[in-house]
């Protein structure tokens, strides 16, 4: 089954064709990110206007690879996300579904991030994944993006139970806000990661320490707003000069990773998980990847991450989730839902 997946929940527009939920046949992404650097964050109006311009050309590019006649269904992420961005994708998908007489499948964007872990591609050297196979149930999914931090129990395809979420800022949001405090660009995650690499643990730069909020709480919730304030206080304290910011970036990344890894491993232990999977933009972070992989292997639980280009928003993950979820929608009735839940 060939599904055309369309993603436009935030600042990326993704269009992809995926076969049987796993095999990427084409994958195109356009992003407003270079334009957003001047604003230091997402400007919904700017993003949605860009999406109106790029969405049809991206669909045309996809159809040049897999002709329209071969497409079996159209998948669209109908939420959660920014309303202006969502409307561009949802209305386009509805129109195509009616015009082409093809079924429409709606997908929760967060489930898309989960299903990015099932994707493969001929041109991609997925040797590690080939060795690991596909994730086994029951599994724990950690979703870490700009808008969400969720721990989800998945007993099978289509069977999701939300165990916990952030009570305030999302992990990616914390990366973005702290990057701004450190005078770095947007998006903040990759910038902080780069700056943290410059810090040598035994260097003469003073080592700061940030809180690991809720790391020992008995639930599966998170909180990342306190650490942002701690960073601000540290910077305001004159003892940290700009050249010491790499120690701040390093310790911030350590603290956030520590909390994410500890809570994910605890959840995996408690439910007897056979796999851990991670998705969302923050899952591109190499420190998070290595810490979670090490802790998972100590417990003999394989940890799956999507390749980095599929960690961030893309259309392929939407087509994958659509294949496994099969939630058909009436193209005359589907509406975008900015606060769609699991
Ligand atoms: O999943 P995503 O592309 O969009 C949303 O659904 O929000 O995630 C974007 C978030 C941003 O906050 C960005 O700073 C973060 O993912 N991010 C990272 C890295 N790459 C992207 N955070 C930490 N380390 C990275 N390497
Ligand atoms: Zn996302």
């Amino acid at each position: 089954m060939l599904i055309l997946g369309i993603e436009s929940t935030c600042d990326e527009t993704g269009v992809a064709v995926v076969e049987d939920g796993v095999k990427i046949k084409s994958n195109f992404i356009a992003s407003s990110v270079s334009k957003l650097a001047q604003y230091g964050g997402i400007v919904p109006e700017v993003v949605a206007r860009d999406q109106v311009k790029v969405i049809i050309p991206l669909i045309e590019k996809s159809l040049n690879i897999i002709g329209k006649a071969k497409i079996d269904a159209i998948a669209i992420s109908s939420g959660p996300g920014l309303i202006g961005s969502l409307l561009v994708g949802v209305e386009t998908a509805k129109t195509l579904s009616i015009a082409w007489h093809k079924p429409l499948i709606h997908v929760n964007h967060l489930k898309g991030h989960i299903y990015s872990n099932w994707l493969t591609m001929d041109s991609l050297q997925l040797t590690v994944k080939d060795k690991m196979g596909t994730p086994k149930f029951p599994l724990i999914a950690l979703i870490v993006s700009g808008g969400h931090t969720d721990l989800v129990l998945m007993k099978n395809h289509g069977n999701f139970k939300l165990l916990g979420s952030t009570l305030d800022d999302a992990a990616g949001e914390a990366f973005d806000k702290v990057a701004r405090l450190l005078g770095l660009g947007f998006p903040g995650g990759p910038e902080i990661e780069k700056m943290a690499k410059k810090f040598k643990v035994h260097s003469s730069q003073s080592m700061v320490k940030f809180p690991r909020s809720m790391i020992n709480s008995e639930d599966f919730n998170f909180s990342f707003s306190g650490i942002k304030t701690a960073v601000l206080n540290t910077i305001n304290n004159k003892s940290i000069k700009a050249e010491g910011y790499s120690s701040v970036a390093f310790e911030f990344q350590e603290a956030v990773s520590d909390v994410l890894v500890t809570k994910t491993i605890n959840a995996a232990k408690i439910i007897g998980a056979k796999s851990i999977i991670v998705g969302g933009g923050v899952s591109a972070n190499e420190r998070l990847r290595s810490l979670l992989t090490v802790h998972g292997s100590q417990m003999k639980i394989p940890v799956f991450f999507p390749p980095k280009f599929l960690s961030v928003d893309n259309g392929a993950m939407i087509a994958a989730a659509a294949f496994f979820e099969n939630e058909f929608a009436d193209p005359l009735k589907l509406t975008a839902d900015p606060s769609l839940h699991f």
Side-chain angles (χ1 to χ4, degrees), residues 172-194:
E173 189 180 355
F175 269 97
D176 294 335
K177 287 178 175 170
V178 166
R180 206 174 311 157
L181 294 177
L182 298 181
L184 301 172
F186 178 84
E191 297 291 324
I192 295 222
E193 181 164 13
K194 231 185 285 162

